[in-house]
Amino acid sequence: MATLGLVVTEFNASVTDKMATAAKEAAVKRDATITETLRVPGVYDSPLAADRLARREEVDAVAVVGAIVTGDTDHDQVIADAAAQSLTDVSLDRDVPVTLGVSGPGQSGAEARERIDKGAEAVNAAVDMVETLV
């Protein structure tokens, strides 16, 4: 059984709360346990929380869920690139799988609402990685 940490972003909470619910349901289906959920302001803030969870002996993997919605600038691209690279760094530095269940960039709020399954996908990928790396 995999033991997971979950990071949920609060920005776009109408989407990310549903993503978190999907993640928790997926964990139950996969017989995984989410030991702790950390809520952070936005996707850009998720790497530090993921790192804190990945340091814990009881955590086998960390799933991160969030939604990045397009605005008037390229800010969504910058946030997505920075967060994805930083989460990869956490995974490699800690030797703990960190999965990216973040929808966007380049999506509207309506498109983000259609992609709540990213929460379940992040948990499924985390469990798959734990099983692969045993």
Side-chain angles (χ1 to χ4, degrees):
M1 175 190 310
T3 303
L4 309 176
L6 179 64
V7 177
V8 180
T9 65
E10 292 180 342
F11 198 78
N12 297 311
S14 64
V15 174
T16 61
D17 287 347
K18 292 176 183 171
M19 294 173 84
T21 298
K24 292 172 184 175
E25 290 170 355
V28 170
K29 288 179 185 174
R30 293 295 301 268
D31 196 31
T33 301
I34 296 176
T35 60
E36 186 165 0
T37 300
L38 297 180
R39 293 193 164 269
V40 297
V43 171
Y44 186 82
D45 309 300
S46 64
L48 179 59
D51 187 66
R52 293 286 171 92
L53 290 172
R55 291 178 190 208
R56 298 188 179 163
E57 189 68 34
E58 70 276 8
V59 172
D60 298 318
V62 178
V64 177
V65 298
I68 302 171
V69 176
T70 300
D72 294 334
T73 67
D74 289 338
H75 185 72
D76 61 320
Q77 292 284 340
V78 172
I79 295 300
D81 290 346
Q85 183 59 61
S86 295
L87 290 169
T88 298
D89 292 345
V90 169
S91 183
L92 294 172
D93 291 346
R94 300 286 171 214
D95 196 31
V96 172
V98 176
T99 59
L100 183 65
V102 175
S103 63
Q107 68 181 356
S108 67
E111 290 169 319
R113 287 186 290 279
E114 293 172 0
R115 297 179 177 142
I116 61 170
D117 59 324
K118 287 286 185 188
E121 290 173 12
V123 165
N124 286 324
V127 173
D128 289 346
M129 286 298 294
V130 169
E131 291 173 354
T132 298
L133 297 174
V134 170

